[in-house]
Amino acid sequence: MSVRHALLALLSEGPKYGLQLREEFEASTGEVWPLNVGQVYTTLQRLERDGLVESDDAVEDGPQKGFRITTDGAEELAEWLRTPPDLASPPRDELVIKVLVALRVPGTDVHDVIQVHRHYLVELMQQWTRIKEEEAEHDLSLALVVDAELFRLDFGRPWLDSADGRLKRAAAEPPVRDPSMLPRLRRKVGVRP
């Protein structure tokens, strides 16, 4: 998540002060991602240093110091909105890493690890579904965040099922590994070393 660009987006609506930016950020994200006020001011200082925002010089640093976006800031925001995120490299998903690490830990039942995580994902999906039913109907930002979270969590269940099946098949018939294939596979999918 880019706090920098979120603050630029909020400032594109008009001048604001730091505490107001924090409150509006949290409201615009369905209050799912709390933002430390210190992070807001640190980010604003960097944006000002980079010429992307301007502040009221007459007021000392503090909660009532106003900020406004500059032309350069508006241009950077527009470019960021139109630039797709780098999805070519697989993210370092903690769930995937845990399963991979569990394979190497002596005495660990990887299938048990998978079951624990599968159960946890189902519980989380039930919690997000309750939030969607009870609160998200009247809050568009929260509804969008909840939908995104449900889709993200829903990815984990079929992946865990697939991983579990693949591990069971591998245990029955271990694959022949060609170590020379790994660098070629990384290049094919665009993974950076």
Side-chain angles (χ1 to χ4, degrees):
M1 172 181 48
S2 174
V3 172
R4 169 185 179 100
H5 294 100
L7 295 182
L8 286 173
L10 292 170
L11 289 170
S12 72
E13 300 170 346
K16 299 179 180 176
Y17 54 91
L19 289 175
Q20 181 182 8
L21 286 166
R22 186 196 69 167
E23 290 168 6
E24 289 185 18
F25 173 87
E26 290 180 357
S28 69
T29 59
E31 298 184 12
V32 173
W33 295 303
L35 187 60
N36 181 303
V37 73
Q39 185 178 7
V40 172
Y41 284 108
T42 301
T43 303
L44 286 169
Q45 288 171 349
R46 290 182 186 137
L47 289 169
E48 189 171 28
R49 176 199 67 201
D50 296 343
L52 304 176
V53 301
E54 297 172 335
S55 66
D56 300 333
D57 291 328
V59 181
E60 294 292 319
D61 282 339
Q64 298 303 317
K65 184 175 183 177
F67 293 88
R68 65 193 154 278
I69 194 168
T70 64
T71 303
D72 288 346
E75 288 173 7
E76 175 163 322
L77 175 61
E79 178 156 342
W80 176 75
L81 288 170
R82 289 185 190 92
T83 303
D86 179 13
L87 300 176
S89 300
R92 290 189 179 172
D93 185 292
E94 186 172 352
L95 178 58
V96 175
I97 291 170
K98 282 187 178 186
V99 171
L100 295 174
V101 167
L103 287 170
R104 302 187 64 109
V105 177
T108 299
D109 181 349
V110 180
H111 303 288
D112 183 49
V113 171
I114 288 173
Q115 280 302 109
V116 167
H117 289 287
R118 184 182 289 122
H119 180 72
Y120 178 67
L121 286 175
V122 170
E123 285 179 358
L124 282 177
M125 289 180 75
Q126 290 169 344
Q127 290 173 15
W128 283 107
T129 300
R130 277 193 297 279
I131 291 170
K132 183 176 184 174
E133 292 168 354
E134 296 168 5
E135 301 174 33
E137 183 177 320
H138 305 292
D139 184 341
L140 178 60
S141 296
L142 179 59
L144 291 170
V145 169
V146 169
D147 286 344
E149 191 60 14
L150 284 169
F151 283 119
R152 186 184 71 81
L153 291 170
D154 195 38
F155 146 80
R157 285 184 313 130
W159 181 81
L160 287 169
D161 292 341
S162 174
D164 199 31
R166 186 177 299 273
L167 290 168
K168 287 175 182 171
R169 288 188 306 275
E173 187 178 314
V176 178
R177 293 185 71 183
D178 181 357
S180 68
M181 287 296 292
L182 188 58
R184 286 185 291 206
L185 289 174
R186 285 184 177 160
R187 282 193 299 275
K188 282 184 179 183
V189 295
V191 176
R192 293 181 196 111

